Every structure is written in C-alpha cells, then in structure tokens.
Amino acid sequence: MRLVLLGPPGAGKGTQAKRLAERVGAAHVASGDLFRDNLGRGTPLGLQAKEYMERGALVPDEVTVSMVLDRCAAPDAQGGVVLDGFPRNRTQAEALDRAFADAGAPVDRVVLLDCAHEVVKARLAGRALEEGRADDTPEVIEERLRTYERQTAPLAAYYEAQGKLRRVNGDQSIEAVTEDLVRAATED
Ligand code: ADP
C-alpha cells in the first residue's frame, strides 16, 4: 500500500504516520526526518537543506524529490510506504505520480489530517518548549504555516480530482486519530 499523509505542521503527522505505517505494514518515509538525519551527519545534502529548513521554506525540489524517491526504492519500502511531509507542492506531487506510475504502483490513497490553525499553533509552541527543534521559533513556525497554506494545501484539490483524497479530524486523541486514519486508508 502506498499512502500519502497530508496536513499542516503541528497536526501530528509524524506521530500518526509512524503508527499508521505499523498498522498497515508499510515503511514510514518522512522527508523532514531524512533532512534532519543528513544534517546531523553533515552530508552535502544536509548542508544544502539547512538554510531552507532554518527559514521554514521548502528545500528545492531537485534535492528533495531524488532524496525521497531513493528512500522509496530501498528494500524495506517495497511492501508499501506511508509518505509524511512529501509531496509538499505540485511539482513534487507530479514527480511522485510519474515515478510511482513508472514502477507500476501508484499512490493508493491520500489522507488529509485536518487540524484548526489555533490547535496547530498551540501544539507547535508546546513542542518548541519540549524538544527545542531549531525551526520551532515563533517566526519560523509562522513561515512554515504560510508555506503550507500557499504550496501544500492546494494538493488536497489535486488528489481530490484523482478520487484519492480522504479527510480525518486531527483534533482528537492520538488513538482515535489512528483508528480513523487506518479506516480512511484501507476502506473502499
Ligand atoms: P513540519 O511538518 O513540522 O514543518 P518537517 O519535519 O516535515 O516539519 O519538515 C521540516 C523542514 O524540512 C521543512 O520546513 C522544510 O524546510 C524541509 N522539508 C521537509 N519536507 C520537505 C519537502 N517535501 N520539500 C521541501 N522541503 C521539505
């Protein structure tokens, strides 16, 4: 099964994508984690991504698309993937569609984790205190939300037109959201 999880920063995508991947027996592929891993290891890709991440902007598509598609080609991803944080704009979505179509296994379903603006802002502020992630300052949080609204939110319509989109309310308990996601990802 090849799933895409869409949703604003702070909606709980990371937590839920991991839980969903376990439930459906797929690999969790998170573009933000891949970038942070590269950054931590000081790879050229990590260094390239750094300035964009620090601003809350998207890392250029050339870098991002090949990084994610390489990860999807790994042996442990052959049984399926839950994509988290990718695609984030139209160019990435089209590149993903092409690559998966070429591989004969298109995206099966896209689930939008819906969450009110005030809720995601409160959660991001809380996470900033707990985890101290470098891009969780108030200014960068605002920019990440703007980037989401401008570039990523329109992907809901893109996937709706393909008949693949389902919506889940992210403003519930972790367990309840997971149950809704599993249902949305697997039901006809
Ligand atoms: P969040 O969803 O909380 O903003 P992520 O961990 O998904 O956090 O992403 C962190 C940063 O990594 C983004 O702000 C962006 O700079 C970069 N990034 C992640 N995924 C992508 C992507 N698909 N395209 C471009 N940049 C990305």
Side-chain angles (χ1 to χ4, degrees):
M1 187 169 334
R2 297 186 157 199
L3 303 169
V4 170
L5 196 54
L6 279 182
K13 272 196 317 294
T15 305
Q16 294 295 341
K18 209 172 296 159
R19 294 168 60 92
L20 178 61
E22 254 167 48
R23 287 281 294 271
V24 303
H28 174 214
V29 174
S31 47
D33 289 350
L34 295 174
F35 281 129
R36 279 184 290 276
D37 175 60
N38 275 280
L39 202 57
R41 290 186 290 121
T43 69
L45 192 151
L47 292 176
Q48 222 176 328
K50 186 172 190 280
E51 57 157 323
Y52 299 95
M53 297 177 74
E54 284 175 351
R55 282 193 280 126
L58 296 188
V59 179
D61 294 329
E62 308 81 69
V63 180
T64 307
V65 169
S66 54
M67 176 186 74
V68 174
L69 292 181
D70 280 355
R71 175 67 189 87
C72 290
D76 73 304
Q78 297 319 298
V81 287
V82 175
L83 287 171
D84 161 12
F86 182 93
R88 247 175 163 96
N89 62 24
R90 182 72 178 241
T91 307
Q92 294 180 7
E94 287 173 353
L96 180 68
D97 276 354
R98 266 195 307 276
F100 278 13
D102 287 350
V107 169
D108 296 295
R109 196 151 287 177
V110 177
V111 188
L112 173 63
L113 194 54
D114 258 331
C115 209
H117 237 70
E118 307 77 70
V119 176
V120 303
K121 274 196 200 171
R123 286 190 189 166
L124 288 169
R127 188 172 79 187
L129 291 176
E130 283 167 26
E131 297 177 12
R133 221 174 84 171
D135 59 352
D136 274 345
T137 62
E139 296 75 22
V140 181
I141 286 173
E142 281 298 330
E143 186 54 28
R144 279 158 56 212
L145 288 169
R146 270 198 297 273
T147 301
Y148 175 79
E149 287 305 327
R150 273 196 219 119
Q151 306 202 50
T152 311
L155 292 182
Y158 174 84
Y159 286 116
E160 192 139 58
Q162 296 186 8
K164 293 180 178 173
L165 188 79
R166 300 290 184 277
R167 288 184 166 80
V168 163
N169 174 18
D171 190 7
Q172 314 177 68
S173 72
I174 289 179
E175 292 75 17
V177 172
T178 305
E179 292 312 316
D180 282 2
L181 283 175
V182 171
R183 213 173 302 125
T186 55
E187 76 188 357
D188 289 330

